[in-house]
Each structure stands twice: as structure tokens, then as C-alpha cells.
Amino acid sequence: MKKFALVICFFGILFSCKNNQKTTTSNPVLEIFQIDSSSVKKHLYTLASDAMEGRRTGTPGIEKAAVYIENEFKRIGLSTFQDLETYRQTFRFQNKRTKKEIQASNIIGVLEGNGKKDEYVVISAHFDHLGIRQKEGELDSIYNGANDDASGVTGVLTLAEYFKNKASNERTIVFVAFTGEEMGLIGSKHFGKGINASAFVAGINLEMIGKTPSFGPNTAWLTGFERSDFGQIIQRNLEGTGYQLFPDPYKKFNLFFRSDNASLARLGVPSHTFSTTPIDVDKDYHKVSDEAETLNMMVIAQTIQAVAKGTESIINGKDTPSRVVLDEKK
């Protein structure tokens, strides 16, 4: 597979290959964010490969994914979290269904802030999925979880490298790949127990960012939009870029409480999830068909760009979102 570079902006995409060049432009470019598309594709295809065996928490497959993420954090040059000696936050919990005890690890890397290093922003995604499940009539038994949520972890790794290279973050950024999300937000709940929530300014969670939303191209949606002014800050930062953020249109699914953002939100942190997937009609959700080949690399790259631009004023200390309003009945 040939390596190629992808320069993402909000108004146009430039693909350049060794023997081929295609350019699409529209409005004038305000800001260019360079993403090495070969790295984006490498992250996604590695994490969603059959070798990871569906990344079920407590299995050899998710251990392979953990090692991959650790190695990427090390290559990027992130620090460890709190008093941890490695990037792993390891703990044990009981599987509610089987009653067996499982050892699991969140993978955490830190980029210390410049002027406001004691104020924290979390950028997260869950790296676990459903593992291997034999079902009658299905030849494929590996639930690869490409969109759910290798796409989000790809975003975390890409943003970690971007912010590390930019080196302008005033607030400390904590990059987390959570485990056990599919078993009931296990990893993020454990993480929340060990922090001073008042020092955490925002939670930026990425979940299923590999498909074109129902709102159309160059859009994403945000869970819990009405629960803080986090979303309004993002919208303001994206004005004039050609990219739009919308409130979660799937209220009946209660998605705000179904991803890892909820564990921080329950502590008062304005923590929300970005997504692009039209989940009401997505035929691959929690299916063996959720494979890397079904995703749109351009959508993933554009979403990463939008998150970087949209959260810039929060990470740089200019804006502080209001604390989250929590009513689990709504």
C-alpha cells in the first residue's frame, strides 16, 4: 500500500499520491492542519485488524491493542499520569454476567500544560469491543469494532501527536484509551474515582467518527449539548470554517449516558461525546461487519480537524465550559 499525505482543511481536501494527484477546493482556506493519512489509516487498520481479536476486555486481543497504544504514546513523547510508573492504570473488576474477576487497564498519556498545568482536559475514546462470538449462520466471528471505537482511538492518537508537536496547550491534556466501555463504562468509572474532578475543565470523548452523519458532509453531532455550554463554545470556534456541529439528534437512545463521557459528567465535568455516525440506521453497529473497509478516512480526518479547531480555546485556557447539568431522566 502506497503512503500518501493528506492535508485536511475545513474547506478542501488535497490528496497527493506518488503517481496521481487530485485536488478539491471550495472557499479560501483559513487554517491548514496537516495529518499524515498513512498514520491515521495505520492506527485504524491495526486496531481493527483480526489480530486484535475484537479487543474484548480481559483477553489477549485487547492486550495487543494496549501495547500498540502504549508504544504510540511513548513514540509521541507523552508523560505518565499521576504517580503511575507506566501508561497503564491497571485494576480488577468482576464481570457482572460471568461473575469472574478480570484484570484490565486504561492507557493514559499526559501532555503537561504551559501556563495552567493544574487544569486538565481529557481527550478520550474506548479501545475495547465485543471480542469473538460464534453465531449460527455467520462465518465471521470477530467483532472488529472499526467504527466502535477504533476510529475514536485513532482520533486520540492523532490529536496527541498534533498537540505534542504544536506545544502550545496552556492546560494539561490527558489522553485516555478507556477499557471496559462495552461492559458498562468500567474503565472510565475507575478513572473517575481517582481524580479531583474540580480540576478537570472538560472531557472530549470520541465515539464512532468514521461515517457521514445524517446532517451531511463536514458535520458532527455532540451528546448532551444542552447540559453545558461546551457545545456552544465548539460551534463558535468553528464559525467560518465550513464545518458544523449539531446537538445529538437521537434523544431516544440516551447516548449521553452510554459512552465514557458519562463517568466524568456524573462528577460535574462538562464531558461530551463527538460522533458522526447515523446510529439509527447504521447496519454495522455491534455487528461483525464493523470493519475498517466500511469507514470513510476523509470523514475521520475531517472530524479530528474539527475537534482540534473546535476545542482550541478550551485547551489554550481562553474558554472554560460551564459545569454539566445532570438529570439522567432527560
Side-chain angles (χ1 to χ4, degrees):
M1 187 178 299
K2 295 179 180 178
K3 290 185 177 180
F4 56 95
L6 174 60
V7 178
I8 299 297
C9 67
F10 293 117
F11 316 102
I13 308 297
L14 172 62
F15 289 98
S16 48
C17 301
K18 183 177 180 182
N19 301 315
N20 175 34
Q21 193 173 67
K22 180 180 178 181
T23 304
T24 304
T25 59
S26 52
N27 297 326
V29 177
L30 293 182
E31 181 178 341
I32 290 177
F33 171 177
Q34 290 189 346
I35 298 176
D36 180 356
S37 66
S38 61
S39 293
V40 171
K41 195 167 187 178
K42 173 177 172 285
H43 294 328
L44 180 72
Y45 274 73
T46 300
L47 291 167
S49 68
D50 285 353
M52 300 292 177
E53 300 175 341
R55 307 187 309 277
R56 183 173 178 81
T57 301
T59 67
I62 198 171
E63 170 62 20
K64 293 177 184 177
V67 170
Y68 179 80
I69 297 166
E70 284 180 305
N71 287 339
E72 286 302 301
F73 281 177
K74 182 178 180 180
R75 179 186 63 79
I76 293 166
L78 301 183
S79 303
T80 56
F81 181 62
Q82 293 181 342
D83 58 352
L84 296 178
E85 294 182 359
T86 71
Y87 295 119
R88 296 197 183 210
Q89 184 184 52
T90 301
F91 59 97
R92 303 186 74 87
F93 71 98
Q94 187 181 66
N95 185 318
K96 292 181 179 179
R97 184 175 62 84
T98 66
K99 305 304 180 183
K100 292 182 178 180
E101 189 173 69
I102 296 174
Q103 180 171 296
S105 299
N106 294 321
I107 313 300
I108 311 173
V110 177
L111 181 60
E112 188 173 275
N114 295 311
K116 297 183 176 182
K117 65 180 182 180
D118 294 327
E119 297 179 10
Y120 301 90
V121 175
V122 173
I123 298 180
S124 65
H126 71 91
F127 74 110
D128 67 299
H129 195 54
L130 302 179
I132 298 175
R133 297 181 176 184
Q134 296 284 350
K135 288 190 175 182
E136 186 177 350
E138 290 185 350
L139 297 178
D140 188 357
S141 60
I142 300 176
Y143 286 68
N144 300 80
N147 200 26
D148 184 15
D149 191 26
S151 65
V153 178
T154 294
V156 171
L157 294 174
T158 304
L159 289 168
E161 187 153 19
Y162 168 71
F163 285 118
K164 173 65 175 179
N165 290 337
K166 193 171 183 181
S168 63
N169 55 298
E170 289 298 303
R171 287 174 166 142
T172 294
I173 310 175
V174 182
F175 298 94
V176 191
F178 286 121
T179 191
E181 191 265 4
E182 300 286 3
M183 292 183 173
L185 315 184
I186 299 295
S188 55
K189 287 177 181 178
H190 179 81
F191 176 83
K193 292 176 183 178
I195 65 170
N196 173 13
S198 64
F200 282 71
V201 173
I204 301 162
N205 193 53
L206 308 179
E207 176 92 56
M208 300 175 67
I209 61 170
K211 297 186 176 182
T212 302
S214 57
F215 298 106
N218 301 310
T219 65
W221 46 271
L222 189 78
T223 63
F225 192 94
E226 72 286 355
R227 296 177 183 276
S228 77
D229 63 359
F230 177 97
Q232 296 173 42
I233 293 171
I234 307 304
Q235 287 180 327
R236 185 167 65 244
N237 290 339
L238 291 177
E239 287 178 2
T241 66
Y243 198 103
Q244 292 180 283
L245 180 71
F246 292 91
D248 170 16
Y250 308 112
K251 297 296 184 183
K252 66 179 182 180
F253 294 133
N254 202 28
L255 298 175
F256 181 76
F257 293 104
R258 288 174 55 186
S259 194
D260 289 309
N261 67 281
S263 298
L264 292 180
R266 290 186 172 107
L267 301 175
V269 180
S271 181
H272 302 260
T273 293
F274 289 85
S275 186
T276 66
T277 299
I279 196 168
D280 59 331
V281 295
D282 183 30
K283 63 183 179 60
D284 303 312
Y285 176 66
H286 279 195
K287 300 288 196 312
V288 292
S289 57
D290 184 8
E291 306 241 16
E293 292 79 7
T294 67
L295 304 188
N296 187 320
M297 293 297 136
M298 186 184 297
V299 170
I300 296 174
Q302 287 176 318
T303 304
I304 295 168
Q305 166 68 27
V307 171
K309 178 64 176 174
T311 61
E312 184 177 43
S313 64
I314 297 172
I315 287 170
N316 289 343
K318 177 182 176 182
D319 287 322
T320 300
S322 58
R323 303 305 278 182
V324 76
V325 174
L326 199 63
D327 181 354
E328 301 197 25
K329 296 179 181 180
K330 294 183 180 179

